[in-house]
Amino acid sequence: MKKIIYIIIPLLIFITLVVLFLSFKNNTQVKSESNKSFLAKIAEDKKINENTKKYQPKETKKTVEEGIDVSAVSAILVDENTNEIIYQKNPKEKKPPASIIKMLTFSLALEFFKEDEYIKITQYASEQISNKINMKPGEELKVSDILYGMMMISANDAAYAIADAVPGKFNAFIKKANEKVRLLGLTDTVMKNPAGLDEEGQISTAFDMATITRYTLLEHPKVIDYAGETKEHSVYATEKNEPHWWFGHLSAMLKRYPGMIAAKTGYTDEARSTFIGIAERDGRRLVIVILGSSDANNDVTRILDYGFSH
């Protein structure tokens, strides 16, 4: 009996020590993971706060909300030099953004790819409705050519080609886009597709789109080249692709409005006309965003005229 006791007691002690060790190890791991999560949350909150200050436009005592007769449901005009709001109308009303959401797609494209990199066109991208470049499945085009198509003629196949080409493909791109929006401190924008096609739950605001535009201008200033090109763009045939070309830019305002240096148009039945414009005079740069307009060119002219005169 004593021999059994001598065997059992050390065994019980050993088991107890093992249990205590494993419990301590698990608690340590939980605490470590909790600490990592806590520190990550602090870093993320800091980043959001920094981005909010840097990119979100600021309302001042000079900001006006009346005095301009426009058809747009929502509008905002921002002095890009100071990041101050000059004029706003329902700036945080949620509306479908239509193709101006491609401004966000553009930024992400340059964060995933180099401009001279080639992207293979997927079947899904090629099947998108017009406007489009009319790319074929299996073709490989330079990112720069795809971006010209997306920003000049609002090519939907171009936007989907970019989304399908990222690691993780379409769903990963959409997740990254919405993460970018959140890190900019924005809560009223949800991307469901990269082209701006009507889809339940895809929304934004004039304020959010102005913030996204400022982010793009500061971090990817080449957007002016892509969204400001008014000439024909040609993609010559190679062993990788068929020839593609298109004439000019969809926005007449690039030629009609003095000082307009870049523009992104948008239209769907649900969204009506939407627009992002960047205009510059005498070293002063203004950014305009309108949503839900029935007379976009007239709205843009009236708002910018006011901005440059004040």
Side-chain angles (χ1 to χ4, degrees):
M1 184 68 178
K2 287 183 179 181
K3 289 182 178 180
I4 295 175
I5 291 174
Y6 290 149
I7 294 172
I8 291 175
I9 290 176
L11 182 60
L12 290 174
I13 292 173
F14 174 76
I15 292 172
T16 301
L17 290 173
V18 169
V19 170
L20 289 173
F21 172 76
L22 292 175
S23 177
F24 173 78
K25 184 178 180 181
N26 288 337
N27 286 336
T28 301
Q29 288 177 338
V30 169
K31 287 181 180 179
S32 176
E33 290 174 2
S34 178
N35 287 338
K36 288 180 181 178
S37 178
F38 178 70
L39 292 174
K41 183 65 168 60
I42 290 177
E44 182 179 281
D45 288 344
K46 181 181 178 182
K47 186 66 174 177
I48 290 173
N49 186 54
E50 291 172 349
N51 287 343
T52 297
K53 291 179 180 179
K54 184 175 182 179
Y55 302 114
Q56 291 190 16
K58 308 299 186 293
E59 188 174 335
T60 72
K61 293 180 180 180
K62 295 180 180 180
T63 302
V64 299
E65 299 187 11
E66 54 186 27
I68 309 176
D69 182 21
V70 295
S71 68
V73 172
S74 178
I76 193 168
L77 181 67
V78 180
D79 187 317
E80 182 63 14
N81 301 47
T82 64
N83 203 25
E84 295 174 339
I85 300 171
I86 301 169
Y87 166 79
Q88 60 184 5
K89 176 184 178 182
N90 304 321
K92 296 192 176 182
E93 182 165 338
K94 297 177 184 178
K95 298 289 293 179
S99 283
I100 64 173
I101 199 70
K102 290 184 174 96
M103 185 65 75
L104 178 57
T105 302
F106 178 91
S107 280
L108 289 175
L110 291 186
E111 289 165 19
F112 275 111
F113 307 108
K114 296 178 180 179
E115 291 170 276
D116 60 355
E117 190 172 346
Y118 280 85
I119 283 179
K120 180 173 286 189
I121 308 306
T122 63
Q123 180 75 35
Y124 188 40
S126 72
E127 292 172 346
Q128 298 309 309
I129 63 173
S130 295
N131 295 338
K132 59 195 298 184
I133 299 174
N134 289 314
M135 297 177 289
K136 305 296 189 299
E139 281 191 88
E140 294 183 37
L141 271 73
K142 280 186 180 180
V143 169
S144 58
D145 290 324
I146 292 172
L147 290 179
Y148 274 118
M150 186 174 74
M151 300 307 282
M152 290 175 67
I153 63 170
S154 203
N156 295 321
D157 55 352
Y160 275 81
I162 290 165
D164 281 350
V166 305
K169 298 190 178 295
F170 184 87
N171 289 336
F173 181 89
I174 297 301
K175 182 178 180 180
K176 186 68 175 180
N178 288 310
E179 180 184 334
K180 175 70 69 178
V181 168
R182 183 173 57 81
L183 289 176
L184 289 174
L186 305 175
T187 58
D188 295 327
T189 295
V190 177
M191 177 189 274
K192 294 285 187 175
N193 68 73
L197 299 172
D198 285 337
E199 185 169 343
E200 185 176 356
Q202 176 144 292
I203 56 171
S204 190
T205 67
F207 179 89
D208 283 14
M209 289 309 307
T211 302
I212 291 167
T213 301
R214 178 173 174 81
Y215 170 81
T216 306
L217 283 168
L218 291 180
E219 304 303 327
H220 307 292
K222 282 191 174 182
V223 68
I224 297 294
D225 298 331
Y226 288 99
E229 181 58 75
T230 59
K231 298 177 182 178
E232 174 189 351
H233 187 83
S234 298
V235 180
Y236 298 103
T238 71
E239 70 279 2
K240 295 177 180 289
N241 60 270
E242 296 181 9
H244 301 282
W245 64 90
W246 51 92
F247 297 94
H249 196 291
L250 285 184
S251 177
M253 298 303 288
L254 276 169
K255 292 184 177 180
R256 183 182 302 175
Y257 192 84
M260 187 75 75
I261 60 173
K264 183 69 203 75
T265 60
Y267 179 87
T268 67
D269 290 340
E270 185 178 347
R272 310 308 293 171
S273 289
T274 64
F275 185 86
I276 293 173
I278 303 161
E280 197 169 72
R281 291 185 193 172
D282 301 322
R284 189 183 184 203
R285 178 179 288 183
L286 303 184
V287 172
I288 182 174
V289 179
I290 62 171
L291 299 174
S293 174
S294 60
D295 190 358
N297 289 347
N298 191 47
D299 288 348
V300 170
T301 298
R302 290 184 178 185
I303 294 172
L304 284 175
D305 282 350
Y306 174 85
F308 281 118
S309 64
H310 287 78

